[in-house]
Amino acid sequence: MDCASCVAKVEGAVKRLPGVSDVAVNLMAERLTLRLEPGQTDPAAVERTISAIGYTPRPLPATAAAKVAPHAANDQASHDHGDEDHDHAGHDHGHGGAFGHSHADHDDPADATKPWYATGKARLVWLLGALVLGAYALSLALPARLTYPLFLAATLVALVPFGRRAFALARAGTPFSIETLMVTAAIGASIIGAAEEAAVVVLLFALGELLENVAAGRARAGIKALATLMPRTALRVRADGSTEGVPSDRLSVGELVLVRPGDRVPCDGTIEEGQSALDESPVTGESVPVSRGPGEAVVAGSINADGALRVRVTRAAADNTIARIIRMVEEATASRAPTQRFIERFSNWWTPGAMIVSLLVILVPPFLLGWDWWTSVYRGLAILLIACPCALVISVPAAMASGLSAGARRGLLIKGGAALEEIGAAKVVALDKTGTLTEGRPRVTDILPARGMAETDLLALAAGVEQGSSHPLAKAVMVMAESRGIATPPVSDQAAVPGKGVTATVNGRRVSVGSPSHATEAGADLGGLVAAITRLENEGKTAIVVLADGAVAGVLALRDEPRGDAAAGVAALARLGVRSVMLTGDNARTGAAIARDLGLDVKAELLPHDKLREIGALRSAGSVVMVGDGINDAPALAAASVGVAMGGGTDVALETADAAVLKDRVTGVAELVGLSRSTMANVRTNVAIAVGLKAVFLVTTLIGVTGLWPAIMADTGATVLVTLNALRLLAWKPAA
């Protein structure tokens, strides 16, 4: 299959069968899913219908079918048209309604392993080329009456497969396919004595179909290349500690695998033993290797740089990161963007309109303009070849598929063409604070010991009290103490004062860690630290006071700091003309401080339903993209024009969102906008090429400048051009 009209034709043929519903064809995955009512159409009849229009359906394995459409479970017949690049069983290009554009017989499935120039489709081109060139060579030495039959023979050789295809399509409900138009034009040209041009027409048609098929295969290969990120084998660790090589797709959850330096990680898992730097760029697009150690997660497809790792499998092969990316991209390519739906509706009127023009060109000019019948029939036949809008219909999905593939390879996952189109039109990007603009974990930013107290002693007291606590602020204090090599002193009598602080006995001293108000209530004199506490809180930091035996030992300040690229990400959006606003449930002072540092607007102290209200208000002024990572962000992600989940976010956010930034960087949001705009620019170029060529050749045909073979080039040539132009998006890179 090589264009969206293939999808329309197969869907149209299958929908005519009784008891068939929920029909969906995925172009890039070459997969058909549908629902069958029991006792109606037999699944074998579905396969016969598909075969009749030139495909070779192949049932999916039960597990794959369940993944594709779990809602159809036992009633579904799923067919895969093969995993190969471009040399497949026959297909056609329907354009909706009763009019379509289909291609001639495809190669034998065995051709899938052959290079494009050795396939059955290519052999037909070579045969026709030899016949046409041979006839022209002989025409230089022989009279026309002897060479004319050679051109006629070349025409008839091509008309056999094309005619058979046209007949099958007519029976399937598409009488006005491109085969029908081309066969009619070729037969008509032969009858009026233009067999030479008829032979060139069928040759160019076969050549254009071959080139289009190869180009579509290249586009599909961009997605299939993601599968090569997975290693074929893994080293599974036996109970006795030895290893054995097993296919990576047979790893089960809970098994232990060994990942040697230089190996690709064969599964999603958690490190049990070892420390190493992992290159995750093949999966997330993040170019800098990240350090990973025991207890940390690793993703399938990443490359282990230096140390040996023992990894516990946490996801089966069918559900690992690579499999989910491939599935998401395949499903995304099946989603039609608004522009694509408009083009498909428009094409439904284009083809019958062009055919009416063709008929009028044949019948009217002999009476009104004095044309002879040979001229009017010849020009009418040429317009028949211009009638099919294949290039126009493929112009959008080809660009969308390439854009989605390019994004996936850079860690930008988009769940459909509609989302890809909408992102670039955004006027405002709303971003959650915690875990999106910030790292999602507070850290100690300031240490202010009281007079006579050293920083290390202050940290030791605080860490002693906080040890064992799961509170984020307590963890931040412990991390800071560990980073400075401070040993945690023994403690006793730990107790929590709900909402205020924690107390414990540290080295015989009664120590408490809590809020400034708690310290004041305890009767401590903050003295000159009051001004410092006020300053820290105005900077959006949380100040905690450490008391030792009732006296102030010092103040620690903590804040969930912005990501390293947050300011750059907001600035990149501003350069694209997109306004950024932060939506946070944090207090207004903290929100204002973070927003001031990053250079964006802020709405603070928002509960989940408040975020929904703010998204609604922003949408009233234009398209809005919401970026978040938490469960509480899921409603806002769903309510926005496009929801974007940060890659480190929860599964709920990833499932609710329309797109995801796997590399977990704020700059990825601007990259999504840039990718969308580049894709839509490519779409506009494609539409201009398709419509422009059709219009030019329509005019030149009517005035007699061009004839039959340039007319067929207007169809197949334009199709190849827009496909090749779309392929340029596979090399897309974010702006520096």
Side-chain angles (χ1 to χ4, degrees):
M1 305 182 74
D2 39 53
C3 93
S5 43
C6 299
V7 172
K9 189 66 218 97
V10 175
E11 288 179 349
V14 175
K15 284 177 180 177
R16 293 164 59 88
L17 299 173
V20 174
S21 60
D22 297 341
V23 179
V25 176
N26 188 315
L27 172 65
M28 300 311 292
E30 297 181 298
R31 181 178 295 129
L32 163 69
T33 61
L34 53 88
R35 184 185 297 274
L36 287 177
E37 291 296 329
Q40 297 284 322
T41 299
D42 182 72
V46 177
E47 297 192 29
R48 288 194 298 271
T49 299
I50 299 168
S51 298
I53 58 173
Y55 290 89
T56 302
R58 183 162 53 109
L60 286 171
T63 53
K67 284 288 180 188
V68 171
H71 67 280
N74 299 323
D75 299 331
Q76 175 177 288
S78 298
H79 301 284
D80 193 329
H81 293 286
D83 298 325
E84 301 80 15
D85 282 350
H86 53 267
D87 299 312
H88 275 292
H91 74 278
D92 61 42
H93 287 222
H95 293 295
F99 302 90
H101 171 178
S102 69
H103 281 261
D105 290 347
H106 269 221
D107 304 320
D108 186 277
D111 284 341
T113 58
K114 299 177 182 177
W116 66 268
Y117 52 81
T119 62
K121 189 183 300 296
R123 289 194 297 271
L124 176 61
V125 172
W126 308 145
L127 175 59
L128 292 176
L131 287 172
V132 172
L133 291 176
Y136 269 112
L138 290 174
S139 68
L140 299 177
L142 298 176
R145 60 185 178 81
L146 296 178
T147 55
Y148 185 85
L150 294 176
F151 289 112
L152 198 58
T155 304
L156 293 176
V157 165
L159 289 183
V160 170
F162 295 149
R164 185 170 66 245
R165 180 65 52 217
F167 180 71
L169 291 171
R171 291 186 60 187
T174 307
F176 298 104
S177 64
I178 186 60
E179 270 83 5
T180 301
L181 303 182
M182 193 275 297
V183 167
T184 300
I187 291 175
S190 299
I191 291 174
I192 64 174
E196 298 94 337
E197 292 193 63
V200 174
V201 163
V202 294
L203 171 60
L204 289 174
F205 182 84
L207 178 61
E209 185 195 27
L210 173 63
L211 294 176
E212 178 184 337
N213 198 240
V214 171
R218 287 282 304 278
R220 189 171 291 117
I223 294 176
K224 292 180 180 176
L226 295 170
T228 64
L229 297 177
M230 279 296 296
R232 294 183 179 275
T233 59
L235 289 176
R236 183 167 57 193
V237 180
R238 297 190 181 100
D240 61 3
S242 61
T243 60
E244 60 178 338
V246 297
S248 58
D249 59 1
R250 293 187 183 179
L251 291 174
S252 301
V253 174
E255 290 184 329
L256 195 64
V257 297
L258 174 65
V259 185
R260 299 168 301 187
D263 287 351
R264 284 188 185 271
V265 178
C267 60
D268 281 4
T270 304
I271 297 175
E272 294 263 323
E273 297 178 27
Q275 184 88 27
S276 182
L278 290 171
D279 177 5
E280 298 180 349
S281 60
V283 182
T284 67
E286 179 57 67
S287 59
V288 179
V290 291
S291 179
R292 294 280 188 261
E296 294 188 287
V298 295
V299 295
S302 54
I303 302 170
N304 183 19
D306 41 40
L309 300 174
R310 288 178 182 259
V311 176
R312 185 74 64 183
V313 180
T314 57
R315 278 198 180 106
D319 292 317
N320 67 33
T321 300
I322 297 295
R324 293 168 75 191
I325 291 174
I326 293 172
R327 197 154 55 240
M328 186 181 293
V329 175
E330 287 182 345
E331 290 170 357
T333 58
S335 170
R336 291 177 170 89
T339 300
Q340 180 178 342
R341 290 195 294 268
F342 170 77
I343 292 293
E344 289 174 352
R345 288 195 301 269
F346 174 74
S347 70
N348 292 339
W349 295 95
W350 171 290
T351 301
M355 294 185 69
I356 292 172
V357 170
S358 174
L359 184 61
L360 291 175
V361 168
I362 292 174
L363 297 178
V364 174
F367 299 102
L368 295 185
L369 302 177
W371 293 4
D372 59 81
W373 284 101
W374 188 96
T375 300
S376 63
V377 170
Y378 180 87
R379 294 180 184 178
L381 293 175
I383 289 175
L384 272 182
L385 298 176
I386 301 173
C388 181
C390 183
L392 183 62
V393 173
I394 197 176
S395 60
V396 180
M400 290 290 180
S402 293
L404 292 167
S405 299
R409 288 206 296 274
R410 294 190 168 274
L412 307 173
L413 289 186
I414 305 169
K415 294 184 179 178
L420 179 58
E421 181 174 341
E422 188 75 22
I423 290 171
K427 303 295 184 185
V428 178
V429 170
L431 303 105
D432 175 54
K433 180 181 77 71
T434 305
T436 300
L437 285 170
T438 65
E439 296 174 349
R441 55 183 183 276
R443 62 184 180 89
V444 176
T445 59
D446 300 85
I447 303 173
L448 303 177
R451 186 183 300 275
M453 175 71 66
E455 286 190 3
T456 54
D457 294 335
L458 176 61
L459 270 175
L461 291 174
V465 175
E466 298 285 18
Q467 62 182 293
S469 174
S470 60
H471 193 282
L473 297 183
K475 290 182 178 180
V477 172
M478 295 301 298
V479 168
M480 176 59 74
E482 290 174 7
S483 69
R484 295 200 174 189
I486 298 173
T488 306
V491 299
S492 61
D493 302 326
Q494 281 181 296
V497 182
K500 295 184 178 180
V502 183
T503 63
T505 300
V506 183
N507 291 331
R509 305 177 70 183
R510 192 63 182 168
V511 180
S512 69
V513 178
S515 64
S517 60
H518 172 58
T520 301
E521 291 173 5
D525 181 12
L526 298 178
L529 291 175
V530 172
I533 291 172
T534 302
R535 173 180 59 81
L536 293 170
E537 290 181 341
N538 286 336
E539 293 173 357
K541 299 174 182 177
T542 300
I544 56 175
V545 179
V546 181
L547 302 178
D549 294 329
V552 177
V555 174
L556 302 179
L558 303 93
R559 190 170 79 164
D560 182 10
E561 289 292 276
R563 294 182 184 274
D565 74 324
V570 172
L573 287 169
R575 287 194 297 272
L576 292 170
V578 180
R579 182 170 71 93
S580 300
V581 58
M582 181 172 69
L583 305 182
T584 178
D586 215 333
N587 65 75
R589 186 164 51 190
T590 299
I594 297 289
R596 184 171 58 251
D597 291 344
L598 299 181
L600 75 168
D601 299 330
V602 61
K603 299 285 185 179
E605 300 180 2
L606 302 177
L607 296 174
H609 68 271
D610 296 321
K611 289 186 179 182
L612 277 178
R613 185 189 66 247
E614 292 295 334
I615 291 294
L618 291 171
R619 286 197 70 171
S620 64
S623 180
V624 176
V625 172
M626 172 67 194
V627 186
D629 77 317
I631 292 176
N632 64 327
D633 297 322
L637 290 172
S641 307
V642 179
V644 177
M646 297 297 281
T650 64
D651 285 341
V652 174
L654 289 171
E655 291 299 323
T656 306
D658 303 297
V661 180
L662 289 187
K663 64 172 124 178
D664 218 7
R665 291 176 60 83
V666 181
T667 50
V669 181
E671 291 173 7
L672 279 172
V673 175
L675 175 62
S676 171
R677 292 183 179 179
S678 294
T679 302
M680 295 313 297
N682 192 283
V683 165
R684 289 189 290 272
T685 302
N686 278 352
V687 171
I689 291 172
V691 175
L693 279 176
K694 294 285 186 183
V696 168
F697 280 100
L698 183 63
V699 172
T700 57
T701 298
L702 286 174
I703 63 177
V705 174
T706 56
L708 292 176
W709 69 265
I712 196 66
M713 286 189 67
D715 176 65
T716 56
T719 302
V720 172
L721 282 177
V722 299
T723 305
L724 292 176
N725 183 55
L727 288 176
R728 293 190 306 110
L729 278 172
L730 293 175
W732 176 85
K733 293 181 180 179

